[in-house]
Amino acid sequence: QYFYISEKTIFPMLQGHPIIVLGNPATHYILDQLGFEMFDEILSYDHDLLTYGMDRIDRLSSNISDFDVSNYEKHLLQINKKIQHNQQLLLNTNSSLWIKLKKVMETNIGKYYEL
């Protein structure tokens, strides 16, 4: 029920890798809502919709097993653009991501001081 991004997600993005996360349900959806671009031309994120843990793991395993290197090569230009976008989003403190995160932090701090 909580969204959490760890260094295990952020570090590969900073290093320029396409990502697929086995986290809480809707992790990829929320990343998308924060402005990150997912690599749906080469990876399937359908495990993200499942709520039962073992189903999520099984589906993710199948998705990874079905990975097609030739598909990666075919979409290389598009993938590189997404990698650069995600890196810029993380590194530019004036990006939409940082603006959204700042609002969330201000809201949370406001709630704390209301108590």
Side-chain angles (χ1 to χ4, degrees):
Q1 79 193 47
Y2 298 103
F3 178 69
Y4 175 77
I5 303 176
S6 74
E7 77 285 353
K8 293 173 213 62
T9 301
I10 293 172
F11 190 69
M13 284 195 284
L14 286 172
Q15 296 299 313
H17 298 286
I19 63 161
I20 189 166
V21 179
L22 180 62
N24 291 333
T27 295
H28 297 96
Y29 172 78
I30 295 170
L31 287 169
D32 180 69
Q33 295 301 302
L34 288 171
F36 291 100
E37 293 185 1
M38 298 295 99
F39 301 90
D40 48 2
E41 60 278 332
I42 59 168
L43 297 169
S44 174
Y45 296 106
D46 61 352
H47 71 281
D48 205 39
L49 305 174
L50 302 174
T51 55
Y52 180 65
M54 290 308 297
D55 290 342
R56 292 170 55 75
I57 292 169
D58 288 343
R59 181 75 57 89
L60 176 65
S61 298
S62 294
N63 293 343
I64 292 170
S65 295
D66 294 340
F67 180 77
D68 182 0
V69 174
S70 66
N71 201 26
Y72 182 91
E73 293 167 347
K74 182 171 117 181
H75 295 284
L76 195 55
L77 183 61
Q78 186 178 5
I79 292 165
N80 282 333
K81 286 181 182 178
K82 289 182 176 187
I83 287 169
Q84 289 174 359
H85 169 82
N86 291 344
Q87 289 173 329
Q88 186 66 22
L89 194 64
L90 283 167
L91 297 173
N92 176 5
T93 57
N94 293 316
S95 72
S96 60
L97 170 68
W98 287 90
I99 292 167
K100 288 177 186 178
L101 292 178
K102 181 179 177 185
K103 286 180 184 177
V104 169
M105 290 301 294
E106 288 171 347
T107 299
N108 291 343
I109 289 170
K111 287 178 184 176
Y112 176 78
Y113 282 110
E114 288 176 4
L115 298 175

